[in-house]
Amino acid sequence: MHIDQQYTDTAVWPACGRVRGEFLPFHVPSIDDDDIAAVVDVLKSGWLTTGNKAHQFEQRFAEFVGAKHAVAVNSATAALHIALEAAGVGRGDEVIVPSMTFAASAEVVLYRGARPVLVDCQADTLNIDPAQIAAKITPRTKAIMPVHFAGQPCEMAAIQSLAAVHGLKVIEDAAHALPARDGARRIGAIGDVTCFSFYATKTITTGEGGMATTDNSEWANKMRVLSLHGISHDAWNRYSAEGSWYYEILYPGYKYNLTDMAAALGLSQLEKCRSFWNARRRISAAYSRAFAEIPEIRVPACRADVEHAWHLYVIQLELERLRLSRGQFIAALKEKNIGTSVHFMPLHLHPYYRRELNYQPSDCPTASRVYERIVSLPIYPKMSDADVADVIDAVRAIVMQYRR
Ligand SMILES: Cc1ncc(COP(=O)(O)O)c(C=O)c1O
């Protein structure tokens, strides 16, 4: 069977026992009246695109993560793209990227005409394995892109020291990692540039949105200019009362700026970031407590001395102990009205990377193996205690029904 068919088996799969009355979606954003009022204020203000709100959001965000600069853009993908450009990654270069990640992490390397070099993950955290990075470094390597999988920080001390030894830049994909901390240092204030996502399912949202943080003033300026056509002044500087019509094109840039409507939502969401985090932590603790007693379920490993953002809660099925596949497990959960997802099908298994960059499943054996076993369960502040209990009951009932 072709790998894609094998793992996208969504046929109805019989699950006995209690079924929840209403479908529990995999994710629902937490939008309250304050968020709505903040956006409505902007809509009434007469200034919709990048302006005061976007600048305020940048300032608050930089303070929140402890970085000198933050550049607001319309996605994490955009942030990663301009971060690589500011870092000087270009044609012929290589960038180390984990295979266990989303499309965006590697496609931005391709945008730059550079080559993503995929590295396998650790079997427990699913983060990039620092021990395997060194073997992939060549004279063409320009940067390492750690991706903080599910919101758990990568081993940044090891990655930073490899980067220092080989003279590489560290561009972090922190799409999942707000808020997070590795030892004493907050994610956003460690690598050369750190990129966050405010996509609809992320830990705070602006619908679509992203942020690049850095302590490097020159790079922050370059990213800001690149995010708006490479021109020297944004619209606020041109059209506001204090502005002037004059601008110059400094580079061929992009249309990546964040609107003030989105920034107002971001400001309002950022205020609730810690309380959202506490809610997700409670859910992850409840899941891990309940599943600790089920040998067929491997709960996510959490490194000591990190603050895990718990954007995702990814279990691994011990398939040897079960009489159903991961696809069938997901179908059985759906039968019980529980939404799930899979993060991720590793990049080296996707047709593009196989065809164009010659990747084989054996190139990242841990990611290939783990991929068959992973299921992401719902974890978001809008879930009630009863919702969490329903997920636990459904997982437990399916395991009981299908254990060997
Ligand atoms: C690991 C990772 N990186 C980058 C992105 C891209 O984020 P955005 O949708 O804001 O471009 C995502 C989105 O899901 C992601 O999961």
Side-chain angles (χ1 to χ4, degrees), residues 74-80 100-105 107 145 147-150 173-176 195-202 207-210 311-312 343-344:
N74 56 17
S75 70
T77 309
L80 288 164
M100 185 53 90
T101 188
F102 184 60
S105 320
E107 77 195 10
M145 186 188 292
V147 178
H148 307 299
F149 179 87
D173 179 339
H176 300 182
C195 301
F196 296 88
S197 173
F198 311 129
Y199 177 67
T201 61
K202 295 298 192 284
E208 300 281 358
H311 163 52
L312 300 173
H343 298 86
F344 294 99

Side-chain angles (χ1 to χ4, degrees), residues 23-44:
F23 183 69
L24 179 73
F26 173 66
H27 184 79
V28 179
S30 295
I31 301 293
D32 65 13
D33 289 345
D34 291 342
D35 294 327
I36 293 166
V39 176
V40 170
D41 278 352
V42 172
L43 290 171
K44 288 180 177 166

